[in-house]
Amino acid sequence: MTLQEAIQQKILVLDGAMGTMIQRFKPTEEDFRGDVYKNHSCDLKGNNDLLSITRPDIIRSIHQEYLAAGADIIETNTFSANKISMADYHLEDAVYEMNFQSAKLAKECCDQFRKKTPNQPRFVAGSIGPTNRTASLSPDVNRPGFRNISFDELEEAYYEQCCALADGGVDAFLIETIFDTLNAKAAIMAAQRANKDQGKEIPMMISGTITDASGRVLSGQTLDAFFISIKHANPLTVGLNCALGATQLLPYARNLNRISEFAISAHPNAGLPNEFGEYDQSPENMARQLEPFLEQGLLSVVGGCCGTSPAHIEAIAELSKNYQPKKNN
Protein backbone atom coordinates (compact mmCIF):
# COMPACT_ATOMS: atom_id res chain seq x y z
CA MET A 1 0.00 0.00 0.00
CA THR A 2 1.29 3.46 -0.87
CA LEU A 3 1.07 6.52 1.34
CA GLN A 4 -1.39 8.03 -1.13
CA GLU A 5 -3.66 5.00 -0.72
CA ALA A 6 -3.32 4.82 3.06
CA ILE A 7 -4.31 8.44 3.56
CA GLN A 8 -7.68 7.75 1.96
CA GLN A 9 -8.48 4.91 4.34
CA LYS A 10 -7.70 6.22 7.84
CA ILE A 11 -6.35 9.15 9.79
CA LEU A 12 -2.60 8.68 9.70
CA VAL A 13 -0.60 9.39 12.84
CA LEU A 14 2.67 11.29 12.46
CA ASP A 15 5.37 10.92 15.10
CA GLY A 16 6.36 13.55 17.67
CA ALA A 17 9.37 15.67 18.59
CA MET A 18 12.88 14.49 17.79
CA GLY A 19 14.99 17.12 19.61
CA THR A 20 13.51 16.65 23.07
CA MET A 21 13.75 12.88 22.69
CA ILE A 22 17.44 13.18 21.80
CA GLN A 23 18.01 15.33 24.89
CA ARG A 24 16.86 12.45 27.09
CA PHE A 25 19.99 10.56 26.06
CA LYS A 26 22.20 13.51 27.11
CA PRO A 27 24.60 13.09 24.19
CA THR A 28 28.10 14.48 24.71
CA GLU A 29 30.49 16.17 22.33
CA GLU A 30 32.09 12.76 21.81
CA ASP A 31 28.73 11.29 20.79
CA PHE A 32 28.28 13.95 18.13
CA ARG A 33 31.83 13.50 16.83
CA GLY A 34 31.97 9.72 16.83
CA ASP A 35 34.93 8.19 15.02
CA VAL A 36 34.15 9.92 11.72
CA TYR A 37 34.44 13.48 13.04
CA LYS A 38 36.80 12.86 15.94
CA ASN A 39 39.21 15.55 14.74
CA HIS A 40 36.68 18.00 13.32
CA SER A 41 37.68 21.67 13.50
CA CYS A 42 34.78 22.98 15.60
CA ASP A 43 32.35 21.88 18.31
CA LEU A 44 29.53 19.65 17.09
CA LYS A 45 27.40 19.27 20.21
CA GLY A 46 23.79 20.17 19.45
CA ASN A 47 23.96 19.14 15.78
CA ASN A 48 21.21 16.55 16.17
CA ASP A 49 21.08 15.60 12.49
CA LEU A 50 24.67 14.38 12.70
CA LEU A 51 23.68 11.65 15.18
CA SER A 52 22.21 9.63 12.31
CA ILE A 53 25.83 9.02 11.32
CA THR A 54 27.67 9.05 14.65
CA ARG A 55 25.04 7.56 17.02
CA PRO A 56 22.47 5.83 14.84
CA ASP A 57 21.48 3.68 17.81
CA ILE A 58 19.96 6.76 19.50
CA ILE A 59 17.93 7.72 16.44
CA ARG A 60 16.87 4.13 15.82
CA SER A 61 15.64 3.86 19.40
CA ILE A 62 13.53 7.02 19.04
CA HIS A 63 11.99 5.83 15.77
CA GLN A 64 11.15 2.49 17.34
CA GLU A 65 9.48 4.15 20.33
CA TYR A 66 7.23 6.21 18.07
CA LEU A 67 6.36 3.24 15.89
CA ALA A 68 5.55 1.15 18.96
CA ALA A 69 3.32 3.99 20.15
CA GLY A 70 1.25 3.68 16.98
CA ALA A 71 2.79 6.17 14.54
CA ASP A 72 1.99 5.45 10.89
CA ILE A 73 4.55 7.98 9.63
CA ILE A 74 7.96 8.74 11.11
CA GLU A 75 10.10 11.71 10.15
CA THR A 76 13.75 11.46 9.24
CA ASN A 77 16.25 13.11 11.56
CA THR A 78 17.06 15.76 8.94
CA PHE A 79 15.27 18.94 9.96
CA SER A 80 18.45 21.04 9.54
CA ALA A 81 20.40 18.73 7.24
CA ASN A 82 21.08 21.23 4.47
CA LYS A 83 24.23 23.08 3.40
CA ILE A 84 22.97 26.43 4.64
CA SER A 85 22.34 25.29 8.20
CA MET A 86 25.33 22.94 8.30
CA ALA A 87 27.68 25.80 7.43
CA ASP A 88 27.52 26.74 11.13
CA TYR A 89 29.35 23.48 11.87
CA HIS A 90 31.58 23.45 8.76
CA LEU A 91 29.81 20.26 7.68
CA GLU A 92 28.51 21.21 4.25
CA ASP A 93 30.23 18.17 2.74
CA ALA A 94 28.37 15.82 5.10
CA VAL A 95 24.86 16.84 4.01
CA TYR A 96 24.25 14.05 1.51
CA GLU A 97 25.38 11.35 3.94
CA MET A 98 23.27 12.79 6.78
CA ASN A 99 20.11 12.68 4.71
CA PHE A 100 20.81 9.34 3.07
CA GLN A 101 21.65 7.58 6.33
CA SER A 102 18.70 9.18 8.15
CA ALA A 103 16.26 8.04 5.48
CA LYS A 104 17.78 4.57 5.31
CA LEU A 105 17.62 4.22 9.11
CA ALA A 106 13.98 5.31 9.29
CA LYS A 107 13.08 2.99 6.42
CA GLU A 108 14.69 0.04 8.17
CA CYS A 109 12.67 0.78 11.31
CA CYS A 110 9.44 0.98 9.30
CA ASP A 111 10.21 -2.30 7.54
CA GLN A 112 10.82 -3.91 10.93
CA PHE A 113 7.41 -2.80 12.21
CA ARG A 114 5.62 -3.64 8.97
CA LYS A 115 6.60 -7.25 9.58
CA LYS A 116 5.26 -7.07 13.14
CA THR A 117 1.98 -5.42 12.12
CA PRO A 118 1.37 -6.23 8.42
CA ASN A 119 -2.10 -4.68 8.58
CA GLN A 120 -0.60 -1.31 9.53
CA PRO A 121 1.73 0.01 6.82
CA ARG A 122 4.43 2.39 8.07
CA PHE A 123 5.88 5.27 6.06
CA VAL A 124 8.89 7.60 6.12
CA ALA A 125 8.56 11.36 5.65
CA GLY A 126 11.77 13.15 4.76
CA SER A 127 11.90 16.13 7.12
CA ILE A 128 12.90 19.33 5.33
CA GLY A 129 13.13 22.33 7.66
CA PRO A 130 13.18 26.01 6.71
CA THR A 131 16.99 26.55 7.09
CA ASN A 132 18.35 29.28 9.34
CA ARG A 133 18.00 32.01 6.70
CA THR A 134 15.04 33.69 5.08
CA ALA A 135 14.56 34.85 1.50
CA SER A 136 11.82 37.37 2.35
CA LEU A 137 13.23 39.30 5.29
CA SER A 138 16.37 41.33 5.87
CA PRO A 139 18.58 40.37 8.82
CA ASP A 140 19.65 44.02 9.03
CA VAL A 141 16.99 46.47 10.25
CA ASN A 142 18.98 49.32 8.71
CA ARG A 143 18.89 47.72 5.24
CA PRO A 144 15.39 46.37 4.59
CA GLY A 145 16.27 45.41 1.03
CA PHE A 146 19.28 43.29 2.04
CA ARG A 147 19.16 39.48 1.89
CA ASN A 148 21.82 37.06 3.11
CA ILE A 149 20.53 34.22 0.92
CA SER A 150 19.15 33.99 -2.60
CA PHE A 151 16.29 31.89 -3.93
CA ASP A 152 18.69 29.94 -6.16
CA GLU A 153 20.98 29.16 -3.22
CA LEU A 154 18.04 27.86 -1.23
CA GLU A 155 16.77 25.75 -4.11
CA GLU A 156 20.20 24.20 -4.67
CA ALA A 157 20.57 23.34 -0.98
CA TYR A 158 17.11 21.79 -0.87
CA TYR A 159 17.79 19.89 -4.09
CA GLU A 160 20.79 18.13 -2.59
CA GLN A 161 18.74 17.24 0.48
CA CYS A 162 15.81 15.93 -1.57
CA CYS A 163 18.05 13.78 -3.77
CA ALA A 164 19.68 12.18 -0.73
CA LEU A 165 16.34 11.58 1.00
CA ALA A 166 14.99 10.01 -2.19
CA ASP A 167 18.04 7.76 -2.48
CA GLY A 168 17.47 6.70 1.12
CA GLY A 169 13.93 5.60 0.34
CA VAL A 170 11.52 8.18 1.80
CA ASP A 171 7.83 7.90 0.97
CA ALA A 172 7.23 11.67 1.05
CA PHE A 173 9.04 14.98 1.30
CA LEU A 174 7.78 16.83 4.38
CA ILE A 175 8.47 20.55 3.89
CA GLU A 176 7.67 21.73 7.39
CA THR A 177 7.73 24.54 9.95
CA ILE A 178 7.46 27.07 7.12
CA PHE A 179 7.90 30.62 8.39
CA ASP A 180 8.79 32.06 4.98
CA THR A 181 6.74 30.90 2.00
CA LEU A 182 9.47 31.96 -0.42
CA ASN A 183 11.81 29.46 1.25
CA ALA A 184 9.07 26.86 0.90
CA LYS A 185 8.67 27.61 -2.81
CA ALA A 186 12.39 26.96 -3.24
CA ALA A 187 11.98 23.62 -1.46
CA ILE A 188 8.99 22.76 -3.65
CA MET A 189 10.97 23.53 -6.81
CA ALA A 190 13.88 21.43 -5.51
CA ALA A 191 11.61 18.47 -4.72
CA GLN A 192 10.05 18.66 -8.17
CA ARG A 193 13.50 18.80 -9.81
CA ALA A 194 14.75 15.86 -7.74
CA ASN A 195 11.72 13.80 -8.74
CA LYS A 196 12.19 14.66 -12.40
CA ASP A 197 15.92 13.96 -12.41
CA GLN A 198 15.50 10.64 -10.58
CA GLY A 199 12.37 9.54 -12.42
CA LYS A 200 10.36 9.35 -9.20
CA GLU A 201 7.00 10.64 -8.00
CA ILE A 202 7.60 11.17 -4.29
CA PRO A 203 4.67 13.22 -2.96
CA MET A 204 5.03 16.41 -0.96
CA MET A 205 3.56 17.18 2.44
CA ILE A 206 3.67 20.91 3.18
CA SER A 207 3.24 22.36 6.67
CA GLY A 208 3.31 26.03 7.58
CA THR A 209 3.73 27.73 10.94
CA ILE A 210 1.36 30.39 12.24
CA THR A 211 3.55 32.27 14.69
CA ASP A 212 1.03 34.23 16.77
CA ALA A 213 -2.56 35.45 17.12
CA SER A 214 -2.23 37.54 13.95
CA GLY A 215 -2.80 34.34 11.97
CA ARG A 216 0.23 34.99 9.77
CA VAL A 217 3.51 33.23 9.07
CA LEU A 218 6.61 35.09 10.23
CA SER A 219 7.23 36.67 6.82
CA GLY A 220 3.79 38.27 6.96
CA GLN A 221 1.49 36.14 4.82
CA THR A 222 -1.99 35.25 5.95
CA LEU A 223 -2.97 31.58 5.91
CA ASP A 224 -5.05 32.11 2.76
CA ALA A 225 -2.12 33.73 0.97
CA PHE A 226 0.23 30.97 2.13
CA PHE A 227 -2.09 28.33 0.74
CA ILE A 228 -2.53 30.09 -2.60
CA SER A 229 1.26 30.41 -2.85
CA ILE A 230 1.90 26.68 -2.53
CA LYS A 231 -1.18 25.01 -4.01
CA HIS A 232 0.46 24.77 -7.46
CA ALA A 233 2.68 22.02 -5.99
CA ASN A 234 -0.37 19.76 -5.77
CA PRO A 235 0.77 18.43 -2.38
CA LEU A 236 -0.49 15.23 -0.84
CA THR A 237 -1.21 17.21 2.33
CA VAL A 238 -1.08 20.81 3.42
CA GLY A 239 -1.09 21.63 7.10
CA LEU A 240 0.19 23.43 10.14
CA ASN A 241 2.74 22.66 12.84
CA CYS A 242 4.82 24.16 15.65
CA ALA A 243 4.57 27.54 17.46
CA LEU A 244 1.07 26.86 18.83
CA GLY A 245 -0.70 24.22 20.87
CA ALA A 246 -3.78 22.39 19.60
CA THR A 247 -6.32 24.80 21.07
CA GLN A 248 -4.65 27.82 19.47
CA LEU A 249 -4.25 25.97 16.16
CA LEU A 250 -7.87 24.86 15.79
CA PRO A 251 -9.33 28.01 14.12
CA TYR A 252 -6.56 27.99 11.55
CA ALA A 253 -7.15 24.31 10.78
CA ARG A 254 -10.82 25.16 10.25
CA ASN A 255 -9.87 27.94 7.84
CA LEU A 256 -7.48 25.67 5.98
CA ASN A 257 -10.23 23.07 5.68
CA ARG A 258 -12.47 25.74 4.16
CA ILE A 259 -10.03 26.72 1.42
CA SER A 260 -8.04 23.55 0.73
CA GLU A 261 -8.95 20.77 -1.67
CA PHE A 262 -6.06 18.71 -0.31
CA ALA A 263 -5.79 16.44 2.71
CA ILE A 264 -4.93 18.43 5.84
CA SER A 265 -2.34 17.71 8.52
CA ALA A 266 -1.70 19.17 11.96
CA HIS A 267 1.08 18.46 14.39
CA PRO A 268 0.92 21.11 17.12
CA ASN A 269 3.17 21.56 20.12
CA ALA A 270 2.30 20.04 23.48
CA GLY A 271 0.59 23.27 24.51
CA LEU A 272 2.53 26.50 25.00
CA PRO A 273 5.93 26.59 26.72
CA ASN A 274 6.18 27.53 30.40
CA GLU A 275 8.49 30.20 31.81
CA PHE A 276 11.43 27.82 31.44
CA GLY A 277 10.67 27.09 27.79
CA GLU A 278 9.46 23.58 28.60
CA TYR A 279 6.19 21.89 27.65
CA ASP A 280 3.95 20.62 30.44
CA GLN A 281 0.88 19.41 28.56
CA SER A 282 0.09 15.78 29.35
CA PRO A 283 -0.63 13.23 26.62
CA GLU A 284 -4.24 12.94 27.78
CA ASN A 285 -4.78 16.70 27.75
CA MET A 286 -3.24 17.08 24.31
CA ALA A 287 -5.41 14.29 22.89
CA ARG A 288 -8.47 15.93 24.45
CA GLN A 289 -7.60 19.24 22.77
CA LEU A 290 -7.08 17.51 19.42
CA GLU A 291 -10.43 15.73 19.51
CA PRO A 292 -12.39 18.69 18.04
CA PHE A 293 -10.12 18.55 14.96
CA LEU A 294 -11.21 14.95 14.42
CA GLU A 295 -14.85 15.40 15.44
CA GLN A 296 -15.17 18.15 12.84
CA GLY A 297 -13.52 16.03 10.13
CA LEU A 298 -10.68 18.48 9.56
CA LEU A 299 -7.64 16.18 9.37
CA SER A 300 -6.13 13.31 7.45
CA VAL A 301 -2.80 13.38 9.31
CA VAL A 302 -2.30 14.21 12.99
CA GLY A 303 0.80 14.17 15.17
CA GLY A 304 2.94 16.21 17.51
CA CYS A 305 5.69 18.80 17.37
CA CYS A 306 7.72 20.42 20.17
CA GLY A 307 7.38 18.83 23.59
CA THR A 308 5.60 15.71 22.38
CA SER A 309 6.77 12.20 23.20
CA PRO A 310 5.79 8.61 22.37
CA ALA A 311 3.24 8.83 25.19
CA HIS A 312 1.58 11.79 23.41
CA ILE A 313 1.58 9.92 20.10
CA GLU A 314 0.10 6.83 21.74
CA ALA A 315 -2.78 8.90 23.14
CA ILE A 316 -3.33 10.56 19.75
CA ALA A 317 -3.21 7.21 17.94
CA GLU A 318 -5.84 5.75 20.27
CA LEU A 319 -8.07 8.78 19.75
CA SER A 320 -7.73 8.80 15.95
CA LYS A 321 -9.05 5.23 15.67
CA ASN A 322 -12.52 6.57 16.40
CA TYR A 323 -12.66 8.98 13.46
CA GLN A 324 -12.45 9.09 9.68
CA PRO A 325 -10.08 11.27 7.61
CA LYS A 326 -11.07 14.55 6.02
CA LYS A 327 -13.11 14.29 2.84
CA ASN A 328 -11.42 16.28 0.11
CA ASN A 329 -13.35 19.34 -1.09
Side-chain angles (χ1 to χ4, degrees), residues 302-321:
V302 61
C305 201
C306 300
T308 55
S309 67
H312 290 83
I313 298 308
E314 184 174 14
I316 293 168
E318 282 300 313
L319 173 69
S320 69
K321 292 176 182 178

Side-chain angles (χ1 to χ4, degrees), residues 238-283:
V238 60
L240 299 165
N241 77 288
C242 205
L244 303 175
T247 298
Q248 295 80 22
L249 203 64
L250 180 56
Y252 304 116
R254 287 192 187 119
N255 188 37
L256 196 54
N257 182 73
R258 178 182 60 81
I259 61 177
S260 173
E261 63 267 39
F262 307 113
I264 292 175
S265 69
H267 50 295
N269 293 345
L272 298 176
N274 61 26
E275 60 271 25
F276 301 107
E278 298 172 346
Y279 295 86
D280 302 322
Q281 192 172 69
S282 70

Side-chain angles (χ1 to χ4, degrees), residues 209-223 244 252:
T209 295
I210 300 297
T211 53
D212 55 38
S214 71
R216 297 171 182 265
V217 300
L218 187 64
S219 57
Q221 275 192 313
T222 63
L223 182 57
L244 303 175
Y252 304 116

Side-chain angles (χ1 to χ4, degrees), residues 172-225:
F173 297 124
L174 175 55
I175 302 168
E176 63 173 322
T177 321
I178 297 165
F179 64 84
D180 182 347
T181 310
L182 194 55
N183 283 39
K185 288 170 80 72
I188 289 167
M189 183 179 291
Q192 291 172 330
R193 179 157 69 105
N195 272 338
K196 181 179 179 182
D197 290 351
Q198 297 194 3
K200 297 178 179 178
E201 295 183 2
I202 298 171
M204 275 179 265
M205 302 172 69
I206 299 175
S207 184
T209 295
I210 300 297
T211 53
D212 55 38
S214 71
R216 297 171 182 265
V217 300
L218 187 64
S219 57
Q221 275 192 313
T222 63
L223 182 57
D224 292 57

Side-chain angles (χ1 to χ4, degrees), residues 117-188:
T117 56
N119 293 328
Q120 183 184 2
R122 312 297 181 112
F123 303 98
V124 177
S127 175
I128 300 172
T131 83
N132 55 8
R133 298 196 179 188
T134 168
S136 294
L137 302 172
S138 172
D140 186 346
V141 295
N142 296 312
R143 293 189 293 164
F146 173 70
R147 301 290 183 271
N148 60 2
I149 192 74
S150 71
F151 184 91
D152 288 346
E153 288 171 323
L154 283 164
E155 194 272 344
E156 189 61 38
Y158 284 130
Y159 175 74
E160 179 184 26
Q161 184 174 19
C162 288
C163 287
L165 290 170
D167 288 344
V170 299
D171 299 292
F173 297 124
L174 175 55
I175 302 168
E176 63 173 322
T177 321
I178 297 165
F179 64 84
D180 182 347
T181 310
L182 194 55
N183 283 39
K185 288 170 80 72
I188 289 167

